[in-house]
Amino acid sequence: MVERTLALVKPDAYARGLTGQILARIEAKGYKLVALSVLTPTSEQLSEHYAEHAEKPFFGGLVQYMSSGPAVAIIVEGHRCIEGMRTLAGSTDPTTAAPGTIRGDFGRDWGTGTIENIIHCSDSPAAAKREIGIWFPGENSGN
Ligand code: UDP
Ligand code: MG
């Protein structure tokens, strides 16, 4: 099985009509989109997805942001796509994320106190497997 990762086009990006451009970048990189779903994340899904951040001071704001409207969940496939998608996404803070990255090109600080940064990508094979299970129950998570 070729490596798979989980990406989320976050609600800020979906609301701004950036989904197509983001998908185009993933395809231009050469990765395959093997599943796509438009959905408004529930706080239950987000508590599972962001379990590692449950005790962080930004957790409440993060859940509010991520459940504010439709998002797009994607299973991306390709050799080393976990590492590759993190590189394509850029660093967490969109203000300082490198130009040329998705966060660097499309994201900014809106002064809300929550980091709205366009896209999520799994950060390890274990995270990819776990996160694919949350957003696509029943799909083969690979890895
Ligand atoms: N986040 C935030 N405030 C912070 C740190 C993170 O709002 O101080 C949000 C941001 O949207 C980020 C997500 O929480 O993408 C998960 O944080 P993580 O550090 O795992 O960043 P990522 O893996 O998404 O780059
Ligand atoms: Mg993370």
Side-chain angles (χ1 to χ4, degrees):
M1 165 75 70
V2 181
E3 186 169 276
R4 290 183 167 188
T5 191
L6 186 281
L8 296 173
V9 173
K10 296 185 173 185
D12 55 328
Y14 182 90
R16 287 173 56 205
L18 298 172
T19 301
Q21 292 185 71
I22 293 165
L23 296 180
R25 286 185 178 210
I26 299 170
E27 290 194 313
K29 181 73 175 171
Y31 298 136
K32 217 162 126 180
L33 310 175
V34 299
L36 272 175
S37 170
V38 178
L39 62 128
T40 300
T42 65
S43 37
E44 289 72 26
Q45 287 170 316
L46 292 166
S47 295
E48 221 182 318
H49 179 81
Y50 283 125
E52 64 176 313
H53 297 309
E55 307 306 321
K56 307 268 174 68
F58 62 82
F59 184 72
L62 174 59
V63 171
Q64 196 170 6
Y65 155 47
M66 288 297 298
S67 59
S68 64
V72 184
I74 311 158
I75 300 178
V76 177
E77 185 177 272
H79 291 291
R80 297 181 67 196
C81 69
I82 296 171
E83 190 184 358
M85 283 297 297
R86 294 285 292 187
T87 304
L88 216 55
S91 56
T92 304
D93 179 358
T95 298
T96 55
T101 66
I102 291 168
R103 287 167 167 176
D105 287 352
F106 298 130
R108 54 163 284 191
D109 192 332
W110 298 93
T112 60
T114 294
I115 300 176
E116 300 184 23
N117 55 5
I118 308 290
I119 189 168
H120 165 87
C121 309
S122 311
D123 65 5
S124 68
K129 188 182 170 77
R130 193 177 68 79
E131 294 171 5
I132 287 170
I134 296 167
W135 302 102
F136 294 96
E139 281 281 342
N140 190 331
S141 62
N143 310 313

